[in-house]
Amino acid sequence: MPWTLNDYPSSMKNLNHVTKKKAIDIANSMIDEGYEEGQAIPIAMEQAKEWRQNAHQDEIDSYEKYGKTIERSEEGKKYESNPERLEEAEHVVAHNNGWAVKSSNAQRASDVFDNKNDAIERAREIAKNKGTSLKIYKQDGSIQENHSY
C-alpha cells in the first residue's frame, strides 16, 4: 500500500511537512520501481532533505501546495512495479540550462542540477546502488565517459 501523509514510515516522523511529503513521494516511486522498503526509505529521506536544502522557496511553496502526495487508496498506485528498471544505465545529459540524471528508458529525468559535477555525483550514487552503468555526455550530446558498477 502506498504511503500517505496520514500513514508513513515512523522514521519520517521528525521531518518537516514539505520534506516529509517529498520523502513519501520519492519512497513510493522507488517501491513502484522495485526497490525494497529497507532501501527506499533511507534513500528517499536523504534525497528529500537534499532537495529541501537546494530548492528555491518558490519551488518549495509550489510543491507543498501542488506536489503529488495525496491521500489515496490501494488502487491509487501510480506506476506498476518495474524491477527491470534496475538494470537500466544512468545518464547525465544536458538539460535546459543545467544537467539531468535519467535512466535509459525513462520518460523524464529523476534529478536536474545546475552543475554537471552535482549531476554526475548523483548519477554515480544511483548507478552504484543499482549495480549498473553510468554514461556521461558532453553538451553536444556525444559520450564523454562510460563507467560500470
Side-chain angles (χ1 to χ4, degrees):
M1 180 168 115
W3 290 300
T4 68
L5 286 169
N6 293 327
D7 180 25
Y8 51 84
S10 60
S11 56
M12 294 182 184
K13 70 181 178 188
N14 292 325
L15 297 175
N16 71 42
H17 178 75
V18 73
T19 307
K20 184 184 306 175
K21 184 175 182 177
K22 186 71 167 179
I24 290 168
D25 286 341
I26 293 168
N28 282 336
S29 293
M30 292 179 74
I31 296 297
D32 287 351
E33 290 182 6
Y35 281 82
E36 296 294 326
E37 284 184 19
Q39 292 176 302
I41 294 167
I43 293 170
M45 288 175 61
E46 187 61 35
Q47 287 181 0
K49 289 176 187 175
E50 185 177 321
W51 168 82
R52 178 71 167 86
Q53 279 184 320
N54 296 321
H56 295 286
Q57 191 59 47
D58 291 345
E59 182 181 2
I60 293 166
D61 293 343
S62 176
Y63 186 80
E64 185 166 22
K65 189 171 182 180
Y66 303 110
K68 72 179 180 179
T69 296
I70 55 174
E71 304 314 312
R72 58 188 179 179
S73 61
E74 182 83 33
E75 72 270 2
K77 185 175 175 183
K78 185 172 180 184
Y79 304 104
E80 293 300 316
S81 291
N82 273 350
E84 66 275 5
R85 299 290 309 267
L86 296 174
E87 303 298 320
E88 295 178 355
E90 292 300 309
H91 301 265
V92 174
V93 296
H95 178 78
N96 296 335
N97 293 326
W99 294 89
V101 176
K102 62 183 278 188
S103 294
S104 296
N105 295 315
Q107 292 179 0
R108 44 178 235 190
S110 60
D111 294 290
V112 178
F113 297 88
D114 293 331
N115 179 306
K116 186 175 184 180
N117 287 333
D118 292 341
I120 292 170
E121 184 178 315
R122 177 66 186 128
R124 183 173 285 127
E125 177 184 1
I126 295 169
K128 283 181 178 179
N129 285 340
K130 290 175 22 177
T132 187
S133 61
L134 166 62
K135 293 183 181 187
I136 303 168
Y137 293 83
K138 297 178 184 176
Q139 186 77 33
D140 66 6
S142 62
I143 294 178
Q144 176 180 328
E145 296 177 43
N146 229 339
H147 301 276
S148 292
Y149 301 101

